[in-house]
Amino acid sequence: MIAYVKGTLAFVHESSVVVDVGGAGYLVNVAPTTIARMPARGTDVQIFTYLQSNDAGQSLHGFLTQEEVRIFTLLISVSGIGPKVASAILGAMSPQQIIPAIVAEDAAALSKAPGVGKKTAQRIVLELKDKIKSEGEGAPVFSPAPQGQLSPKQDATDALLALGYGRTEAVSAVLEVADEDMSANTIIKLALKKLATPNPR
């Protein structure tokens, strides 16, 4: 894992930069707002990174603070959220705005980021709100979901209703995927996958 790259800012492109580290150039994908905060070309820079590996290969995503890396990692843990969407959110909002928005279930604020629709924003809130609690000036702290007053199945059904699904399809999806001792978050994720799968004709 490459935690950061530190060297000379050699090239600046529209959505990436190249950092010269001892004669080797590291291509780092960055948001336009991050580029705007970069020092002048030819000066020293340190970029905190997240290394993504998939079938297409490996790519580095860069940020100027460790806090941004933590938020990026948190966002891409949400089903259906990739680096592009996570970077768009971080480009539109600071970590100090993102965390309170999730905790307050303010999907409207998150949906203002380019490429983030209403349902995507609601999914981010649903999957992350119980993982986060505010501490100090909004630094994210991971914690277990609190014990709710409703059963996990009821919590999951309410969450699907909030996403705009009908009660009948929400209840049916939850009953199909839920097992005993499953958390509400797990049921929600499985139910969303079930609802996203076209019914065979």
Side-chain angles (χ1 to χ4, degrees), residues 184-195:
N185 281 343
T186 300
I187 297 173
I188 292 167
K189 289 180 181 180
L190 293 174
L192 285 171
K193 289 181 181 179
K194 178 71 178 178
L195 289 166

Side-chain angles (χ1 to χ4, degrees), residues 67-78:
E67 182 74 353
E68 290 172 315
V69 178
R70 286 194 289 267
I71 299 300
F72 178 84
T73 304
L74 189 65
L75 289 170
I76 63 174
S77 73
V78 176

Side-chain angles (χ1 to χ4, degrees), residues 83-163:
K84 185 176 181 180
V85 173
S87 293
I89 295 172
L90 276 165
M93 304 171 70
S94 70
Q96 290 72 29
Q97 293 172 318
I98 294 171
I99 292 299
I102 294 173
V103 172
E105 301 182 34
D106 188 359
L110 296 170
S111 65
K112 292 178 182 178
V116 180
K118 181 180 178 181
K119 284 196 173 183
T120 298
Q122 289 175 330
R123 191 186 316 129
I124 291 170
V125 169
L126 282 170
E127 293 193 28
L128 296 184
K129 65 180 181 178
D130 289 337
K131 293 182 180 179
I132 301 170
K133 64 181 179 180
S134 294
E135 183 179 90
E137 296 183 359
V141 177
F142 296 85
S143 61
Q147 183 65 37
Q149 297 299 315
L150 301 177
S151 73
K153 290 181 182 179
Q154 289 173 310
D155 283 337
T157 300
D158 288 344
L160 294 175
L161 293 175
L163 279 174

